[in-house]
């Protein structure tokens, strides 16, 4: 089968297409014929092996994860003998960041416990934009923040996959949502119905004097103290990715800030696929629609990751793995 294989750390050149052996599912696994795969921050971290301490888990000198890609949508090809929830021919999707990865390939094996039936009203490309980004937004806003009716919310890094789904979820609670991103995404965010948009190159939300009940931060470039200043009393700031040192500061100083300022600082530890069936229901009911920026064939995966790295995307970037005549 075809796959994007990474044999060393480096730049975009490490992602090479190659022929590899087709996997065989274990007793509790499902073999999925991949149709589409989403691009995420994981690819950048695996590509460079940075921050360096990550190599304790992903391989000191060369990557243990040979085929990257963590968001997958496809069709069940075969099942292991203990699999009861899925049958060949069913459309499925999953977040493979639970440790498997391997979405940038013709086939991947997925534990049945980590797999869900794909929304019935979605194309494969749309479905591949949901599992990882959607659950970052859902677990942050619903599970960690417990957002409530009419709250004020700010999303930093709002023009990508997490931000666009987070906006739609928050609007179900009639929240007032401010989006922060680059100048090139301002018009797009207005079209998405953000109540207010901020160009981070012209205005620092943490220094504007405005305060919010909830802040969902995809970038985490500011100190937790600066972000706490942008919260109302009793508000919550959530770091879900970005600068690792800022993320560590959030974890280190959260108790002090809670005691001193009555404001919560949290770091979201994503639980892959927890709540994916719930998210599927929101999609099927029309309450959430994933935004797909651009689609690339498998052979152009490096170009897809390059676009993601340059932060040019509005919504999710998707790699189409199956042949065009097989896509739906």
């Amino acid at each position: 089968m075809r796959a994007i294989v990474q044999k060393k750390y480096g730049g975009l050149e490490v992602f090479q297409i190659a022929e590899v052996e087709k996997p065989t599912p274990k007793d509790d696994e499902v073999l999925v014929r991949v149709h589409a795969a989403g691009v995420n921050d994981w690819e950048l971290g695996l590509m460079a092996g940075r921050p360096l301490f990550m190599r304790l888990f992903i391989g000191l000198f060369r990557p243990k994860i040979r085929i990257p890609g963590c968001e997958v949508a496809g069709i069940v090809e075969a099942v292991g003998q203990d699999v009861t929830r899925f049958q060949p021919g069913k459309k499925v999707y999953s977040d493979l960041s639970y440790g498997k990865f391997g979405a940038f390939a013709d086939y991947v094996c997925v534990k049945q416990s980590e797999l869900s039936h794909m929304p019935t009203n979605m194309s494969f490309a749309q479905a591949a934009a949901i599992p990882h980004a959607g659950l970052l937004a859902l677990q942050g806003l619903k599970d960690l923040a417990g957002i409530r009716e009419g709250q004020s919310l700010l999303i930093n890094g709002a023009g990508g996959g997490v931000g666009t789904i987070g906006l739609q979820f928050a609007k179900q609670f009639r929240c007032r949502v401010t989006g922060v991103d680059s100048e090139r995404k301002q018009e797009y965010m207005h079209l998405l119905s953000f109540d207010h948009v901020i160009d981070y190159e012209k205005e620092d939300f943490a220094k504007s004097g405005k305060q919010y009940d909830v802040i969902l931060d995809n970038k985490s470039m500011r100190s937790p103290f600066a972000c706490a200043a942008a919260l109302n009393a009793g508000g919550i700031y959530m770091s879900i990715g970005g600068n690792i040192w800022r993320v560590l500061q959030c974890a280190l100083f959260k108790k002090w800030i809670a005691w001193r300022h009555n404001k919560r600082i949290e770091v979201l530890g994503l639980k892959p696929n927890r709540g994916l069936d719930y998210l599927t229901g929101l999609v099927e009911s029309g309450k959430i629609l994933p935004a797909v920026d651009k689609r690339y064939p498998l052979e152009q995966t490096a170009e897809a990751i390059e676009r993601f790295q340059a932060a040019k995307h509005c919504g999710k970037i998707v790699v189409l793995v199956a042949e065009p005549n097989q896509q739906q």
Side-chain angles (χ1 to χ4, degrees), residues 70-303:
C70 74
E71 273 177 315
V72 63
I75 294 178
V76 175
E77 180 85 1
V79 299
Q81 65 178 14
D82 295 337
V83 174
T84 57
R85 294 179 56 226
F86 303 95
Q87 299 81 40
K90 295 296 183 180
K91 296 180 180 180
V92 293
Y93 68 156
S94 178
D95 174 6
L96 305 182
S97 68
Y98 68 87
K100 187 74 178 180
F101 292 86
F104 296 147
D106 285 326
Y107 295 91
V108 65
C109 290
V110 186
K111 288 183 178 180
Q112 73 162 335
S113 60
E114 302 291 339
L115 200 60
S116 288
H117 291 283
M118 213 175 89
T120 55
N121 55 343
M122 292 283 102
S123 68
F124 289 108
Q126 290 173 308
I130 296 173
H132 189 73
L135 287 179
L136 281 169
L138 187 71
Q139 291 180 20
L141 296 177
K142 176 178 177 287
D143 300 340
L144 192 55
I147 64 169
R148 302 185 302 277
E149 192 87 7
Q151 287 187 309
S152 59
L153 172 70
L154 180 139
I155 301 176
N156 188 29
V162 176
T164 53
I165 291 179
L167 166 69
Q168 295 173 73
F169 185 73
K171 282 299 182 179
Q172 295 175 48
F173 296 85
R174 298 182 178 85
C175 292
R176 304 179 305 280
V177 187
T178 295
V180 182
D181 217 307
S182 63
E183 187 277 332
R184 68 169 67 94
K185 299 183 183 180
Q186 301 295 296
E187 182 177 356
Y188 171 73
M189 291 195 297
H190 277 298
L191 292 173
L192 290 173
S193 299
F194 278 93
D195 296 290
H196 181 60
V197 298
I198 296 174
D199 177 357
Y200 69 79
E201 295 173 321
K202 296 179 180 178
E203 180 182 344
D204 186 343
F205 75 84
K207 297 180 180 179
S208 68
K210 298 177 182 177
Q211 293 181 311
Y212 306 88
D213 298 312
V214 179
I215 297 176
L216 185 70
D217 196 345
N218 292 288
K219 301 302 179 182
S220 303
M221 298 298 293
R222 298 163 181 81
S223 79
F225 297 99
C227 294
L231 286 174
N232 290 320
I236 177 172
Y237 165 87
M238 294 170 290
S239 169
I240 65 171
N243 184 292
I244 188 62
W245 304 116
R246 292 303 193 190
V247 173
L248 290 174
Q249 287 175 7
C250 288
L252 182 63
F253 293 110
K254 57 180 290 186
K255 290 185 177 179
W256 165 261
I257 293 172
W259 174 76
R260 184 70 176 82
H261 301 287
N262 187 31
K263 298 175 181 181
R264 290 174 60 194
I265 303 294
E266 301 286 353
V267 176
L268 175 65
L270 179 69
K271 298 175 179 62
N273 301 305
R274 194 187 79 177
L276 187 54
D277 288 338
Y278 174 81
L279 187 55
T280 300
L282 294 177
V283 173
E284 290 184 334
S285 65
K287 295 179 179 178
I288 286 180
L289 178 67
V292 177
D293 169 83
K294 194 170 181 180
R295 300 162 171 84
Y296 291 82
L298 183 65
E299 293 79 6
Q300 295 179 16
T301 298
E303 287 90 332

